[in-house]
Coordinates of all heavy atoms in Angstrom, one line a residue:
K1 N 0.8 -1.2 0.0 CA 0.0 0.0 0.0 C 0.9 1.3 0.0 O 0.4 2.3 -0.5 CB -0.9 0.0 1.2 CG -0.3 0.2 2.5 CD -1.2 0.1 3.7 CE -0.5 0.3 5.0 NZ -1.4 0.2 6.2
H2 N 2.1 1.2 0.6 CA 3.0 2.3 0.6 C 3.6 2.5 -0.8 O 3.6 3.7 -1.3 CB 4.1 2.1 1.6 CG 3.6 2.1 3.0 ND1 3.0 3.1 3.6 CD2 3.6 1.1 3.9 CE1 2.7 2.8 4.9 NE2 3.1 1.6 5.1
W3 N 4.0 1.5 -1.4 CA 4.7 1.6 -2.7 C 3.7 1.9 -3.9 O 4.1 2.5 -4.9 CB 5.4 0.3 -3.1 CG 6.2 -0.2 -1.9 CD1 6.3 -1.5 -1.5 CD2 7.1 0.5 -1.1 NE1 7.2 -1.6 -0.4 CE2 7.7 -0.4 -0.1 CE3 7.5 1.9 -1.0 CZ2 8.6 0.0 0.9 CZ3 8.3 2.3 0.0 CH2 8.9 1.4 0.9
Q4 N 2.4 1.6 -3.7 CA 1.5 2.0 -4.7 C 1.3 3.5 -4.8 O 0.8 4.1 -5.8 CB 0.1 1.4 -4.4 CG 0.1 -0.1 -4.7 CD 0.5 -0.5 -6.2 OE1 1.5 -1.1 -6.4 NE2 -0.3 0.0 -7.1
Q5 N 1.8 4.2 -3.7 CA 1.7 5.7 -3.7 C 2.8 6.4 -4.5 O 2.7 7.6 -4.8 CB 1.7 6.2 -2.3 CG 0.6 5.7 -1.4 CD 0.7 6.2 0.0 OE1 0.9 7.4 0.2 NE2 0.6 5.3 1.0
I6 N 3.8 5.6 -4.9 CA 4.9 6.2 -5.7 C 4.4 6.6 -7.0 O 3.9 5.8 -7.8 CB 6.1 5.2 -5.9 CG1 6.5 4.6 -4.5 CG2 7.2 5.8 -6.6 CD1 7.5 3.5 -4.6
P7 N 4.6 7.9 -7.4 CA 4.1 8.3 -8.7 C 4.9 7.7 -9.8 O 6.1 7.3 -9.7 CB 4.4 9.8 -8.7 CG 4.5 10.2 -7.2 CD 5.0 9.0 -6.6
N8 N 4.2 7.4 -10.9 CA 4.8 6.8 -12.1 C 5.9 7.6 -12.7 O 6.8 7.0 -13.4 CB 3.7 6.4 -13.1 CG 2.8 5.4 -12.7 OD1 3.1 4.6 -11.8 ND2 1.6 5.4 -13.2
D9 N 5.9 8.9 -12.5 CA 7.0 9.7 -13.1 C 8.1 10.0 -12.2 O 8.9 10.9 -12.5 CB 6.4 11.0 -13.7 CG 5.7 11.9 -12.6 OD1 5.7 11.4 -11.4 OD2 5.3 13.0 -12.9
T10 N 8.3 9.2 -11.1 CA 9.4 9.5 -10.2 C 10.7 9.2 -10.9 O 11.0 8.2 -11.5 CB 9.3 8.5 -9.0 OG1 8.0 8.8 -8.3 CG2 10.4 8.7 -8.0
N11 N 11.7 10.2 -10.7 CA 13.0 10.0 -11.2 C 14.0 9.4 -10.2 O 14.8 8.5 -10.5 CB 13.6 11.4 -11.6 CG 12.8 12.0 -12.7 OD1 12.3 13.2 -12.5 ND2 12.6 11.4 -13.8
I12 N 13.9 9.9 -8.9 CA 14.8 9.5 -7.9 C 13.9 9.0 -6.7 O 13.2 9.8 -6.1 CB 15.8 10.6 -7.4 CG1 16.7 10.9 -8.6 CG2 16.7 10.1 -6.3 CD1 17.7 12.0 -8.3
L13 N 14.0 7.8 -6.4 CA 13.3 7.2 -5.3 C 14.2 7.0 -4.1 O 15.3 6.6 -4.2 CB 12.7 5.8 -5.7 CG 12.0 5.0 -4.7 CD1 10.7 5.7 -4.3 CD2 11.6 3.6 -5.2
V14 N 13.7 7.4 -2.9 CA 14.4 7.3 -1.7 C 13.6 6.5 -0.7 O 12.5 7.0 -0.3 CB 14.7 8.7 -1.1 CG1 15.6 8.6 0.2 CG2 15.3 9.7 -2.1
T15 N 14.0 5.4 -0.3 CA 13.4 4.5 0.7 C 14.4 4.1 1.7 O 15.6 4.1 1.5 CB 12.7 3.3 0.1 OG1 13.7 2.5 -0.5 CG2 11.7 3.7 -1.0
H16 N 13.9 3.7 2.9 CA 14.9 3.2 3.9 C 15.2 1.8 3.6 O 16.4 1.4 3.6 CB 14.3 3.3 5.3 CG 15.4 3.0 6.4 ND1 16.6 3.6 6.4 CD2 15.4 2.0 7.3 CE1 17.3 3.1 7.4 NE2 16.6 2.1 8.0
T17 N 14.2 1.0 3.2 CA 14.5 -0.4 2.9 C 15.0 -0.6 1.5 O 14.6 0.2 0.6 CB 13.2 -1.3 3.0 OG1 13.5 -2.6 2.7 CG2 12.1 -0.8 2.0
P18 N 15.9 -1.6 1.2 CA 16.2 -1.9 -0.1 C 15.1 -2.7 -0.8 O 14.2 -3.3 -0.1 CB 17.5 -2.8 0.0 CG 17.9 -2.8 1.4 CD 16.7 -2.3 2.2
P19 N 15.1 -2.8 -2.1 CA 14.2 -3.8 -2.7 C 14.8 -5.2 -2.5 O 16.0 -5.3 -2.3 CB 14.2 -3.4 -4.2 CG 15.6 -2.8 -4.4 CD 15.9 -2.1 -3.1
F20 N 14.0 -6.2 -2.6 CA 14.5 -7.6 -2.3 C 15.5 -8.0 -3.4 O 15.2 -7.8 -4.6 CB 13.3 -8.6 -2.3 CG 13.7 -10.0 -1.9 CD1 13.9 -10.3 -0.6 CD2 14.0 -10.9 -2.9 CE1 14.3 -11.6 -0.3 CE2 14.4 -12.2 -2.6 CZ 14.6 -12.5 -1.2
G21 N 16.6 -8.5 -3.0 CA 17.6 -9.0 -3.9 C 18.6 -8.1 -4.4 O 19.5 -8.5 -5.2
I22 N 18.6 -6.8 -4.0 CA 19.5 -5.8 -4.5 C 20.2 -5.1 -3.3 O 19.5 -4.4 -2.5 CB 18.8 -4.8 -5.4 CG1 18.2 -5.5 -6.6 CG2 19.8 -3.7 -5.8 CD1 17.4 -4.5 -7.5
L23 N 21.5 -5.4 -3.0 CA 22.2 -4.7 -2.0 C 21.5 -4.8 -0.6 O 21.5 -3.9 0.2 CB 22.5 -3.2 -2.3 CG 23.2 -3.0 -3.7 CD1 23.3 -1.5 -3.9 CD2 24.6 -3.6 -3.7
D24 N 20.9 -6.0 -0.4 CA 20.1 -6.2 0.8 C 20.5 -7.4 1.6 O 19.8 -7.9 2.5 CB 18.6 -6.4 0.4 CG 18.3 -7.7 -0.3 OD1 19.3 -8.2 -1.0 OD2 17.2 -8.1 -0.2
E25 N 21.8 -7.9 1.4 CA 22.2 -9.1 2.0 C 22.9 -8.8 3.3 O 23.8 -8.0 3.4 CB 23.1 -9.9 1.1 CG 23.5 -11.3 1.6 CD 24.2 -12.1 0.6 OE1 24.2 -11.8 -0.6 OE2 24.9 -13.1 1.0
S26 N 22.5 -9.5 4.4 CA 23.1 -9.3 5.7 C 24.4 -10.0 5.8 O 24.8 -10.8 4.9 CB 22.2 -9.8 6.8 OG 22.1 -11.2 6.8
R27 N 25.1 -9.8 6.9 CA 26.4 -10.5 7.1 C 26.2 -12.0 7.1 O 27.1 -12.8 6.8 CB 27.1 -10.0 8.3 CG 27.7 -8.6 8.2 CD 28.3 -8.1 9.5 NE 27.3 -8.0 10.5 CZ 27.5 -7.8 11.8 NH1 28.8 -7.8 12.3 NH2 26.5 -7.6 12.7
S28 N 25.0 -12.5 7.5 CA 24.8 -13.9 7.6 C 24.3 -14.5 6.3 O 24.2 -15.7 6.2 CB 23.7 -14.2 8.7 OG 22.4 -13.6 8.2
G29 N 24.2 -13.6 5.3 CA 23.8 -14.1 4.0 C 22.3 -14.0 3.7 O 21.8 -14.4 2.6
R30 N 21.5 -13.6 4.7 CA 20.0 -13.5 4.5 C 19.7 -12.2 3.8 O 20.3 -11.1 4.1 CB 19.3 -13.6 5.8 CG 17.8 -13.5 5.7 CD 17.1 -13.7 7.0 NE 15.7 -13.5 6.9 CZ 14.9 -13.5 8.0 NH1 15.3 -13.7 9.2 NH2 13.6 -13.3 7.8
R31 N 18.7 -12.2 2.9 CA 18.3 -11.0 2.2 C 17.0 -10.4 3.0 O 16.1 -11.2 3.2 CB 17.9 -11.3 0.8 CG 19.2 -11.6 0.0 CD 19.0 -11.6 -1.5 NE 20.2 -11.9 -2.3 CZ 21.1 -10.9 -2.6 NH1 20.9 -9.7 -2.2 NH2 22.2 -11.3 -3.3
Y32 N 17.1 -9.1 3.2 CA 16.0 -8.5 4.0 C 15.2 -7.4 3.2 O 14.4 -6.7 3.8 CB 16.6 -7.8 5.3 CG 17.0 -8.8 6.4 CD1 18.3 -9.3 6.4 CD2 16.1 -9.2 7.3 CE1 18.6 -10.2 7.4 CE2 16.4 -10.0 8.3 CZ 17.7 -10.6 8.4 OH 18.0 -11.5 9.4
G33 N 15.5 -7.3 1.9 CA 14.8 -6.3 1.2 C 13.3 -6.6 1.0 O 12.8 -7.7 1.4
C34 N 12.6 -5.7 0.5 CA 11.1 -5.8 0.4 C 10.7 -6.3 -1.0 O 11.0 -5.7 -2.0 CB 10.5 -4.4 0.6 SG 8.7 -4.4 0.5
E35 N 10.0 -7.4 -1.0 CA 9.5 -8.0 -2.3 C 8.5 -7.1 -3.0 O 8.5 -7.0 -4.2 CB 8.9 -9.4 -2.0 CG 9.8 -10.4 -1.5 CD 9.9 -10.4 0.1 OE1 9.4 -9.4 0.7 OE2 10.3 -11.4 0.6
E36 N 7.6 -6.5 -2.2 CA 6.6 -5.6 -2.8 C 7.2 -4.4 -3.4 O 6.7 -3.9 -4.4 CB 5.5 -5.2 -1.7 CG 4.8 -6.4 -1.1 CD 4.0 -7.2 -2.2 OE1 3.5 -6.5 -3.2 OE2 3.9 -8.4 -2.1

């Protein structure tokens, strides 16, 4: 519901969470990014 608010014409997106699978790997190897 939060990400649906992002306008389609956004040039630079700033979020605290990474997206899932991109620069989101912890030291233990687990990925914590957001799939949505």
Side-chain angles (χ1 to χ4, degrees):
K1 69 182 181 183
H2 296 296
W3 313 136
Q4 288 303 115
Q5 298 179 52
I6 304 173
N8 292 333
D9 61 356
T10 298
N11 301 122
I12 298 179
L13 178 63
V14 186
T15 63
H16 188 56
T17 181
F20 185 81
I22 300 176
L23 303 176
D24 68 334
E25 189 172 340
S26 70
R27 287 177 294 169
S28 67
R30 181 178 174 183
R31 293 194 177 276
Y32 284 92
C34 180
E35 298 91 343
E36 297 301 323

